[in-house]
């Protein structure tokens, strides 16, 4: 297959470039250039992710036809193999669904013109200061004939797109505040009004790129080689490793005498896995023996919702957006705030009253045919994906843990499942994991490598990437539920 071969060659070429541009300690550099005083640029990180060692990122092999085909499809659709794809390939089943959905949203027939789609992607990614995604879509926007003047700032874009700024802002940071008035304002803006079909397309794009920004930061995706930050100059080496290892968090265990979790022994992290397995077993026994009343279930939800407001990181500080990103959105001071802070009370969103399966799916599919089906498939793959493993354990039923992660995210957004016992969340998710989840989902621009390393320390990187897939799909569904409920209320 020629495309598969081309895709494979692109990836191999990128590795070769990485080696070529690296320093001596990283396997690159050229003595002759050093003698001439040339500062050789090198890639900023070691591979597609700053958090995951390059050797652990799966590389396409000629014997693995599924990955080969996926890389070929991505290369054919985008003309590149981006770092998100190279990390997501840990989970080929999900990646296939993701690529198919994204391709449909950006390139297939739909209510919005192509340049509008990429510009909306820029607007959405910019809300989380995700320069990685902004850079990709700036290039794509220009490629499909977008007006370069729009890139000077949102105020230079058509009024119709400027009007979308408020919905983008609220949807990204406080989706529970979206009302039918937001929808009405867009649909009745006279000559700048949106049609229902256009608005649904825009909402899906906004939620897609808000959640993809979460994945980008949550997995430490490195800048593409051709984008800002993709190269830096090679620093001098110190002792047996180079300064780039320190700045990128790639020190070896032997040299630094510390593992990635920070002075945590293997036995301690092993004990954490065993303790989690035991809690899952005990919870299953409790389920089998007795079931809590509806009143008790509702009370446990309120307790967990309230406690989620007090989950924050010691690294929690304001991140000032760069001008090249902030110019694509308005009100830069607007960000995430817990929904019950400062005396605000937001009614609980009960899934039994409005859910994706019975309401959101059909609305999207009616106004933007086939997209509802593609999104639904992606939700189900992320939620049900399992290899029946936990760290070193095999043949494990992980459904309880996956449901706790999904429902905790929805709980943070004020969304309640009447049939779920929220008491399980505190049993299964420890504080460091909750900090990571909340940061990735609510303020992804604040994610650090230390947060990534501090949870599930004995788990494989592929399992942590799997966690991120759960986080971004649960987040996307939560945003969609609030936006689509507001559209439904406007329509009725």
């Amino acid at each position: 297959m020629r495309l598969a071969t081309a895709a494979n060659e692109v990836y191999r070429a990128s590795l070769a470039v990485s080696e070529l541009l690296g320093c001596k300690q990283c396997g690159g550099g050229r003595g002759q250039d050093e003698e001439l005083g040339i500062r050789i640029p090198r890639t900023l990180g070691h591979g597609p992710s700053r958090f995951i060692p390059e050797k652990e990122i799966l590389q396409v092999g000629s014997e693995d036809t599924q990955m080969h085909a996926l890389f070929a499809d991505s290369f054919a659709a985008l003309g590149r193999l981006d770092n998100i794809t190279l990390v997501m390939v840990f989970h080929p089943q999900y990646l296939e669904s993701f690529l198919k959905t994204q391709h449909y949203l950006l390139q297939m027939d739909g209510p919005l013109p192509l340049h509008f789609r990429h510009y909306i992607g820029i607007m959405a990614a910019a809300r989380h200061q995700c320069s990685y995604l902004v850079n990709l879509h700036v290039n794509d926007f220009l490629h499909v004939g977008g007006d370069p003047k729009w890139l000077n700032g949102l105020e230079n874009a058509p009024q119709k797109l400027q009007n979308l700024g408020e919905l983008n802002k609220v949807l990204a940071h406080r989706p529970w505040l979206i009302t039918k008035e937001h929808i009405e304002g867009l649909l009745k803006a006279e000559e700048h009004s949106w049609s229902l079909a256009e608005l649904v397309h825009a909402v899906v794009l906004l939620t897609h790129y808000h959640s993809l920004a979460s994945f980008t930061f949550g997995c430490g995706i490195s800048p593409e080689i051709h984008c800002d930050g993709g190269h830096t100059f090679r620093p001098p080496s110190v002792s047996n490793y180079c300064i780039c290892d320190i700045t990128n968090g790639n020190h070896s265990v032997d040299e630094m005498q510390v593992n990635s979790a920070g002075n945590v022994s293997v036995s301690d992290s092993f004990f954490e896995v065993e303790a989690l397995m035991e809690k899952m077993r005990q919870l299953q026994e409790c389920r089998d023996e007795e079931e809590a009343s509806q009143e008790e279930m509702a009370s446990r939800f309120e307790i967990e919702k309230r406690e989620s407001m007090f989950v924050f990181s010691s690294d929690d500080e304001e991140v000032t957006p760069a001008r090249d990103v902030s110019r694509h959105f308005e009100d830069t001071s607007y960000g995430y705030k817990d929904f019950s802070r400062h005396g605000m009370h937001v009614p609980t969103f009960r899934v039994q009253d409005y859910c994706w399966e019975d309401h959101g799916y059909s609305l999207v599919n009616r106004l933007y045919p086939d997209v509802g089906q593609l999104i639904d498939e992606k939700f189900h793959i992320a939620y049900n994906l399992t290899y029946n493993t936990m760290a070193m354990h095999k043949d494990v039923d992980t459904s309880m843990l996956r449901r706790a992660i999904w429902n905790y995210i929805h709980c943070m957004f004020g969304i309640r499942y009447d049939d779920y016992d929220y008491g399980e969340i505190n049993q299964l998710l420890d504080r460091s994991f909750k900090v990571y989840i909340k940061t990735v989902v609510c303020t992804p621009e604040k994610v650090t490598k230390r947060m990534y390393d501090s949870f599930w320390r004995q788990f494989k990187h592929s399992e942590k990437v799997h966690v991120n897939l759960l986080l971004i799909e649960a987040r996307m569904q939560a945003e969609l539920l609030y936006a689509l409920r507001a559209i439904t209320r406007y329509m009725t």
Side-chain angles (χ1 to χ4, degrees), residues 11 14 48 57-58 71 81-90 95:
Y11 184 53
S14 70
I57 303 277
L58 296 181
F71 276 20
L81 285 175
D82 59 39
N83 288 337
I84 287 176
T85 299
L86 294 174
V87 172
M88 277 188 184
V89 84
F90 272 121
L95 176 60

Side-chain angles (χ1 to χ4, degrees), residues 247-270:
T247 57
N248 290 302
N250 289 313
H251 357 284
S252 73
V253 176
D254 293 337
E255 290 164 341
M256 301 302 291
Q257 296 299 314
V258 62
N259 63 20
S260 62
N263 287 318
V264 177
S265 69
V266 172
S267 59
D268 286 344
S269 56
F270 176 82

Side-chain angles (χ1 to χ4, degrees), residues 119 147-157 323 327-328:
Y119 197 83
D147 187 344
K149 292 178 183 176
W150 298 10
L151 301 176
N152 292 329
L154 183 59
E155 68 277 5
N156 296 291
R323 166 61 186 161
R327 64 188 174 198
H328 299 298

